[in-house]
Every structure is written in structure tokens, then in C-alpha cells.
Amino acid sequence: MITLPIDIEAVKGFMAPQEGAALHRAALSVDGLGPCLEIGSYCGKSAVYLGQACRKMGALLFTVDHHRGSEENQPGWDYHDPDLWDAAAGVMDTLPFLRATLRQAGLEETVIPIVGRSGLVARAWGQPLGLLFIDGGHTRHAAETDYRLWSPHIAPGGVLAIHDVFPDPAQGGRPPFEIYQMALASGLFEEEDAVSSLRILRRAREKTRGGAALA
Ligand code: SAH
Ligand code: MG
């Protein structure tokens, strides 16, 4: 089992311990792990699992969220948490909770929060990624935007992780499952691990012939 620098049970969020452990393993499995990026920070639960692996590997983790919550986090919906409601502003605000988690976990030198809508942040992104974790909005538009704009940044040998993949529609919404299928259909990724609703896919390493890398 992995040792985490914080009582992870006490961190609000949506990541089961076995899923978190699989994410952590996936990051450790990437040779020469480069920068990693997570979409959907919420209060930092998955960022601790990933961040701890990045710390060991000397890599940075960028974690992107507008911090206003997804649809299902809004008042009146199933996954609303009134502690995260900024009454004065009349909006959700998970950023202070993320910052507290990172501070308590000693990960402020490893995990860099980016506050903004993922589609907007993608406009300015140019770094190859060792691992991309998609756990943001679950509408078709949000999930497809995350897959289309971000997955091309995954380096050869890097990992694409997707959360909330439910093959059975009775278990949950379709968009994360659909982008998972798009990734497999692209021929660029192969599935390596599946734990609950988490899927771990790897982008093929560059093929070599006679020692020379092929583009
Ligand atoms: N990974 C977290 C859970 C993420 S919940 C954990 O381990 O607990 C999903 C998060 O995605 C919410 O915090 C929501 O604000 C964010 N989100 C939804 N749509 C987004 C978008 N288009 N851009 C950035 N963040 C988004
Ligand atoms: Mg999720």
C-alpha cells in the first residue's frame, strides 16, 4: 500500500482508495516522467495520490479546475456539499480547500493549481505530458473538449487516465465512457488497468527500427 503524507479519508472528494492507488502506480510507471496534468481538482483528493508520485519522480503536477463545481455539485443536486458554498458570492468555491489539502500534504512545491475552465487553459498549453488525468465536467461537451484538446499533449509512453467510466449506463453518465472509447478507437492508446470507474491507458512508445526512432 502507498503511504500518503495526509489523512486522505479526511479530504473531501470523489476518489476511492484503490482508484487513487492505481493512479499513483500509473504515474510511477512512466519512464522519465514529465509534467503531469489533472482536469478536475475539486478539493485535491486525486491530486494527493498523483502529486505524491510526481514528488517521488521529480515531476510537476498541474491541476486545472474553475473551482465552481460541476452541475452535480450545485445546490439542490446529489453531490452538493454546503461547506463549499461561498454564500457572499453565491457560487461554489473549492479553491481554498484544494490549497489547504496541498499545504497539509506538503505538496506545494509539486502541485501547481491552475484556476480556469479546462478548454480555456488548453488554448495556451504547449508542454508534452507524462500523464493526463481527465476527471472534470461530465457533460458531453466538457468531456469531449477535455479529450480532444488535451490528449494530443500526451507524450509517447505517457498515460491517459479517465475517471467515471461506466460501461453500464445504469451506473452513471455516458460522456466519460464515450471518450474512453474514442481513445481506444484512435489506435493511439492501449488499456493497461481498470479499477472501479478508473481506466488507465498508455500511449504507444515510439517504435524503433535498427535503433532509429520513427516519428
Ligand atoms: N478529482 C477530484 C474530483 C473532481 S470533481 C477528486 O479526486 O476528488 C470534478 C471537478 O471538475 C469539479 O471540481 C468541477 O469544478 C471541475 N470542472 C467541471 N467542469 C470543468 C471545466 N470545464 N474546466 C475545469 N474544471 C471543471
Ligand atoms: Mg470523478
Side-chain angles (χ1 to χ4, degrees):
M1 252 345 252
I2 49 169
T3 330
L4 295 171
I6 189 172
D7 174 13
I8 199 73
E9 295 283 305
V11 178
K12 292 176 185 290
F14 308 104
M15 172 99 339
Q18 322 84 267
E19 295 177 318
L23 261 184
H24 181 89
R25 272 198 309 276
L28 293 179
S29 77
V30 179
D31 291 337
L33 185 71
C36 298
L37 188 134
E38 165 183 85
I39 303 167
S41 334
Y42 197 65
C43 301
K45 201 171 195 127
S46 49
V48 169
Y49 287 102
L50 275 177
Q52 184 65 2
C54 286
R55 196 160 90 119
K56 282 190 204 159
M57 302 284 278
L60 292 175
L61 171 66
F62 295 89
T63 184
V64 179
D65 201 308
H66 47 48
H67 288 285
R68 298 309 187 204
S70 298
E71 252 178 12
E72 64 270 22
N73 305 127
Q74 303 306 317
W77 290 68
D78 285 356
Y79 295 96
H80 177 64
D81 178 343
D83 294 352
L84 308 176
W85 184 249
D86 178 341
V91 288
M92 291 283 292
D93 189 1
T94 47
L95 181 59
F97 292 80
L98 171 66
R99 297 206 70 194
T101 301
L102 297 179
R103 183 179 55 75
Q104 288 161 20
L107 287 170
E108 288 185 298
E109 294 288 311
T110 301
V111 184
I112 302 177
I114 300 179
V115 181
R117 189 166 53 79
S118 61
L120 206 53
V121 178
R123 286 200 209 166
W125 196 263
Q127 281 281 319
L129 296 171
L131 177 149
L132 171 68
F133 176 44
I134 300 181
D135 192 20
H138 289 161
T139 63
R140 172 159 294 119
H141 179 74
E144 285 195 12
T145 300
D146 290 344
Y147 174 70
R148 290 188 197 284
L149 298 186
W150 286 100
S151 68
H153 293 293
I154 300 169
V159 164
L160 169 62
I162 306 175
H163 198 228
D164 305 302
V165 170
F166 298 109
D168 175 2
Q171 306 270 297
R174 306 313 284 151
F177 176 69
E178 286 165 359
I179 62 168
Y180 155 73
Q181 290 202 306
M182 286 165 70
L184 290 177
S186 74
L188 289 171
F189 298 97
E190 277 190 13
E191 182 160 336
E192 256 188 24
D193 199 6
V195 178
S196 303
S197 76
L198 179 73
R199 296 294 179 279
I200 303 288
L201 283 66
R202 188 173 307 267
R203 181 165 167 199
R205 291 175 184 85
E206 248 138 36
K207 291 193 177 66
T208 55
R209 197 167 54 197
L214 298 177

